[in-house]
Amino acid sequence: MNRISVDLAGNGYDILIEAGALDSAGAQLKQHIRSDRVFLITDTNVAAKWLAPLETDLQKSGIRAISKILPPGEQTKSWTVLEQLTDWLLDEGAERSDTLIALGGGVIGDLTGFAASILKRGCKFIQIPTSLLAQVDSSVGGKTAINSRAGKNLIGRFNQPEYVLIDPLVLGTLPDRELRAGYAEVVKYGLINNAPFFEWCEENGADLLARNPKALAYAITESVRTKSGIVAEDEKELSGRRALLNLGHTFGHALEAETGYSSALVHGEAVAAGMALAFHYSARREHCDEADAHRVEHHLKNAGLPHSLESASVKASGDRLVRHMLHDKKMAAGNLPFLLANGIGQTFLAKDVDLEDVAVFLDQMQ
Ligand code: GLY
């Protein structure tokens, strides 16, 4: 069992990572729930596997679950579903003293966390993430949001959960493609500031993707530890420190936009190709050696992840991809900050990137 504390003044919390944790969720969560009921939000895919066992276990600890099952998929992070969810909570008589539980991947976590932040001016919520991406990234750090007409995650709040319970065993039934996409975010932590962890990924990534429980538990713990440390230094992404977590996301955003945010390229896959591009672009600017970029690309390729424009099936011109980047919410005062690297585990925020040069680079990478 690993317990990691997110060290935030006033709203810190613990993250429990334990194989089989879902089987004792009631006992773990009881101290964080102030009544004899919880509102449990999930989607149809996750509900089919994990809802009944969780409800039964909560019941054993004297906690009644009132559950809402939403459709799976990105379209659930919408104003329409947020309205349905908050109306349902109010119809059920939810109070500020109640706790919402998000049981699911990033969509359910982001929506539930946002609903919790506005319900009766804010109630508590707990994350039980069920995808690798949600376990290592979206359930930790308090970014909650829905999508809007103008783009993804543009309506949201920083709202830290009360507790995060991670059971690596639930990943046993995760589709291969989703596991791999989540793995891209695991590799990201090694590349940001943890070179020994990237070496561990190189040695053990295949085991992890074969769902070796020890490899999964280690990678989740190390990822959560790295993310929590960065969030604790810059909770609301003000100093630039938390922005490091966006490595691969600016290039990745352009690839996702080009593929219409469709299942042709899911978020983790776009981040994988984006990280390879960020390292190659870093080498072009002589921040790191070309050998580092090839090492990153090679590892992502071995993991079966997109690692170039071609393997991401993106054929657009550099100009077109840069235009997508200009719609990224990371744009600030007309400037688009890029995450570049001085080497493996040495990511930094560059604010002086010339977008015309990025377009030339992307044309050369075709
Ligand atoms: N996924 C980036 C962040 O949590 O800041």
Side-chain angles (χ1 to χ4, degrees), residues 25-39 58 61-64 97-101 124-126 162-163:
Q28 291 293 341
L29 301 184
K30 201 170 169 51
Q31 57 187 309
H32 301 284
I33 295 171
R34 281 179 289 168
S35 71
D36 58 358
R37 65 176 188 184
V38 286
F39 292 92
L58 289 169
S61 295
I63 303 163
R64 182 169 55 95
S97 56
D98 278 309
T99 301
L100 313 189
I101 294 183
K124 296 197 180 301
F125 83 111
I126 288 170
E162 180 77 6
Y163 192 68

Side-chain angles (χ1 to χ4, degrees), residues 44-309:
T44 42
N45 292 342
V46 176
K49 294 168 197 150
W50 307 113
L51 182 59
L54 179 59
E55 283 177 342
T56 306
D57 192 73
L58 289 169
Q59 192 68 58
K60 274 192 235 151
S61 295
I63 303 163
R64 182 169 55 95
I66 306 168
S67 302
K68 179 78 173 167
I69 303 174
L70 297 170
E74 197 66 30
Q75 60 281 9
T76 288
K77 271 174 65 170
S78 64
W79 281 113
T80 312
V81 180
L82 178 70
E83 186 179 14
Q84 287 165 2
L85 176 60
T86 47
D87 279 348
W88 172 78
L89 287 163
L90 295 170
D91 288 346
E92 292 289 338
E95 296 291 340
R96 198 189 283 172
S97 56
D98 278 309
T99 301
L100 313 189
I101 294 183
L103 172 70
V107 166
I108 290 294
D110 283 10
L111 174 76
T112 304
F114 187 43
S117 78
I118 54 176
L119 188 86
K120 298 207 167 167
R121 300 205 172 86
C123 66
K124 296 197 180 301
F125 83 111
I126 288 170
Q127 293 265 23
I128 306 185
T130 57
S131 68
L132 181 58
L133 195 137
Q135 292 191 345
V136 300
D137 186 16
S138 57
S139 69
V140 176
K143 280 190 178 175
T144 73
I146 56 168
N147 303 327
S148 79
R149 249 183 350 191
K152 279 180 68 173
N153 295 324
L154 293 179
I155 311 290
R157 299 200 63 189
F158 287 98
N159 184 30
Q160 301 295 341
E162 180 77 6
Y163 192 68
V164 184
L165 185 143
I166 297 178
D167 183 348
L169 293 187
V170 303
L171 303 179
T173 55
L174 194 69
D176 274 345
R177 188 176 178 195
E178 269 193 65
L179 186 73
R180 234 189 293 282
Y183 180 64
E185 300 276 0
V186 170
V187 172
K188 183 186 78 175
Y189 295 112
L191 297 178
I192 289 174
N193 68 357
N194 194 342
F197 183 48
F198 181 71
E199 281 163 32
W200 181 93
C201 289
E202 289 179 309
E203 279 165 32
N204 301 281
D207 260 5
L208 182 152
L209 292 170
R211 300 170 204 251
N212 173 321
K214 277 200 181 139
L216 275 169
Y218 179 80
I220 294 165
T221 305
E222 206 53 27
S223 299
V224 168
R225 200 190 306 285
T226 306
K227 177 157 186 180
S228 304
I230 291 173
V231 168
E233 289 172 49
D234 180 20
E235 181 187 357
K236 299 201 170 159
E237 209 165 310
L238 296 173
S239 74
R241 187 79 186 137
R242 183 166 180 160
L244 297 181
L245 296 170
N246 295 327
L247 173 64
H249 284 60
T250 300
F251 285 106
H253 171 83
L255 307 186
E256 279 183 287
E258 180 61 23
T259 46
Y261 289 97
S262 69
S263 59
L265 193 69
V266 298
H267 179 69
E269 293 169 342
V271 168
M275 291 191 297
L277 290 169
F279 266 79
H280 279 295
Y281 189 61
S282 299
R284 174 185 172 89
R285 289 184 28 136
E286 298 183 350
H287 297 302
C288 71
D289 293 336
E290 198 58 62
D292 288 330
H294 284 297
R295 199 173 147 197
V296 172
E297 185 181 329
H298 182 70
H299 181 58
L300 296 169
K301 184 176 178 191
N302 276 350
L305 282 161
H307 47 279
S308 60
L309 290 173

